[in-house]
């Protein structure tokens, strides 16, 4: 990391309303376009976010962001009582990528979600990246959703998240633009 950002200098904290403009700029830069930033705004406005964290330096420079939103299980089947979230989006400024910031955001986010009683986290992402955090395409095959394939993965945070499957889920309305 540069002098402005090193591993010991990283602070992870909940995102605040004052961070929203900077987060939008960061997400747009990380993805090279504004679709994910727009998704994030819509998830905030409809109240779907369960957890939103930022990574910054002690000097206050925002380096990364992660959001988890509510996913609703259907009212039938063994997974109907599961607390399910979706990791999306996760972003780090391009010049700070591949330095462990995203990994720390994911670890901290999963720990906090587990502490909050969440059972299952879903992600649509790189099959080469997310399994190191406990995400599994095999587990996600027991989740009926608009997404499928090896890029659709699930991470159980509780025994129920592992054992109370299958489950049919509905993502927050803003995700429909990506289906």
């Amino acid at each position: 990391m540069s002098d402005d950002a090193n591993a010991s200098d990283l602070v992870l904290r909940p995102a605040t309303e004052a961070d929203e403009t900077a987060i939008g700029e960061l997400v747009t830069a990380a993805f090279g376009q504004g679709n994910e930033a727009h998704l994030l705004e819509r998830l905030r406005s409809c109240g779907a976010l369960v957890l939103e964290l930022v990574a910054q330096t002690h000097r206050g420079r925002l380096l990364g962001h992660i959001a988890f939103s509510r996913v609703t299980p259907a009212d039938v089947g063994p997974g109907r009582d599961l607390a399910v979230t979706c990791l999306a989006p996760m972003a780090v400024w391009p010049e700070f990528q591949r330095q462990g910031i995203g990994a720390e955001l994911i670890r901290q986010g999963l720990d906090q979600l587990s502490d909050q009683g969440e059972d299952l986290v879903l992600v649509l992402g790189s099959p080469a990246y997310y399994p190191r955090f406990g995400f599994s395409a095999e587990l996600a095959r027991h989740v009926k959703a608009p997404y499928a394939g090896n890029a659709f993965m699930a991470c159980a945070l509780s025994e129920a998240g592992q054992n109370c499957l299958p489950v049919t889920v509905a993502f927050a309305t803003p995700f429909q633009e990506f289906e």
Side-chain angles (χ1 to χ4, degrees), residues 26-27 29-31 55 62-66 90-103 105 129:
L26 182 157
V27 172
F31 286 93
L62 197 67
L63 302 178
H65 168 269
I66 194 167
M90 194 264 295
V92 175
W93 278 105
E95 65 268 29
F96 294 104
Q97 292 176 359
R98 294 177 175 45
Q99 297 180 35
I101 297 167
L105 284 164
Y129 183 73

Side-chain angles (χ1 to χ4, degrees), residues 27-151:
V27 172
T28 298
F31 286 93
Q33 45 85 29
N35 290 345
E36 286 78 6
H38 178 69
L39 169 67
L40 185 56
E41 289 172 10
R42 295 200 51 223
L43 289 167
R44 269 192 210 112
S45 68
C46 76
L49 291 182
V50 173
L51 179 64
E52 189 175 7
L53 300 172
V54 294
Q56 69 177 45
T57 66
H58 282 288
R59 297 178 189 165
R61 180 168 183 193
L62 197 67
L63 302 178
H65 168 269
I66 194 167
F68 296 88
S69 59
R70 177 61 58 214
V71 176
T72 308
D75 287 335
V76 296
R80 70 180 168 271
D81 294 324
L82 291 175
V84 184
T85 58
C86 171
L87 186 169
M90 194 264 295
V92 175
W93 278 105
E95 65 268 29
F96 294 104
Q97 292 176 359
R98 294 177 175 45
Q99 297 180 35
I101 297 167
E104 284 303 312
L105 284 164
I106 293 169
R107 282 188 203 97
Q108 179 88 8
L110 293 177
D111 285 349
Q112 287 189 28
L113 290 170
S114 179
D115 290 346
Q116 292 172 16
E118 296 294 320
D119 297 305
L120 191 67
V121 179
L122 306 174
V123 70
L124 188 62
S126 169
Y129 183 73
Y130 286 97
R132 72 184 77 173
F133 305 103
F135 285 93
S136 162
E138 180 61 35
L139 184 61
R141 287 184 183 92
H142 301 283
V143 179
K144 185 176 180 191
Y147 311 104
N150 288 336

